[in-house]
Amino acid sequence: MSQPKVIFIDAVGTLFGVKDSVGAVYQTLAQQSGVSASAKQLDQAFYRSFSAADAMAFPDVPAVEIPHREYLWWLAVARDTFQRAGILHEFSDFESFFEGVYQHFATAAPWVVYQDTISSLQRWQRMDISLGIISNFDSRIYAVLDALELRQYFQTITISTEARAAKPNPLIFTTALQKHGCSAHEAWHIGDSRQDDLKGANAAGLRGIWLKRPNQSNVQAPTQFR
């Protein structure tokens, strides 16, 4: 296996993840607003709502409008989540509540960096491999990476709303490659989604590697990552 020139890495679910679950975070924040909620029910509702949402890419939206469109995208997902959970009506002002949720996820508070992340990034740096992120996350990723002290490891960050294409669309991968002046066969992409990361990268000509985390809070990197 030859050494790649660049390794691209997915963000959420690969470098870091949500502490406990999205439903648990929603539950805690809802309770602070006086609304009782079930973390399990919210978690189930969230993944249905998230899966049903359109890709967060906005190809025809002017760049200056993208942050607001990202906010509206997540507002719709959150509103649908609480609707599916049957408690949306209990909020007197759901959008005010959601503003706090949206800002919360731009901090370090709801996230955990996986225990193998730093050691893997440092090893690749010692091997003189350039590192980049390819993610369907929104523009809050910059604040999150700073808060988690991860941004220093990456030469580039490519997200779907800036590339105007979401994984597994090949365009987001070619956009990232162009930033490194790198051809697809010289790059790897690692991520936790078989569809978005493994198959998406392979279809774009990169070596896709599926990182399956059976226990996301306590997992060692596979041999080829160490």
Side-chain angles (χ1 to χ4, degrees), residues 55-134:
M56 188 166 46
F58 318 129
D60 301 318
V61 175
V64 69
E65 296 180 17
I66 285 177
H68 183 59
R69 290 293 295 271
E70 292 172 341
Y71 174 86
L72 293 177
W73 191 95
W74 280 110
L75 173 60
V77 169
R79 190 187 300 277
D80 189 61
T81 296
F82 281 88
Q83 180 68 56
R84 289 176 187 265
I87 56 175
L88 179 63
H89 66 281
E90 297 185 25
F91 291 89
S92 58
D93 186 347
F94 183 79
E95 187 162 353
S96 292
F97 161 74
F98 175 72
E99 287 176 4
V101 173
Y102 196 73
Q103 292 304 317
H104 182 72
F105 277 96
T107 71
W111 305 107
V112 58
V113 177
Y114 299 129
Q115 66 178 31
D116 60 340
T117 293
I118 301 298
S119 60
S120 296
L121 297 176
Q122 291 176 339
R123 173 175 284 253
W124 292 326
Q125 283 189 326
R126 291 194 296 269
M127 295 169 68
D128 292 324
I129 298 173
S130 295
L131 300 175
I133 288 175
I134 301 178

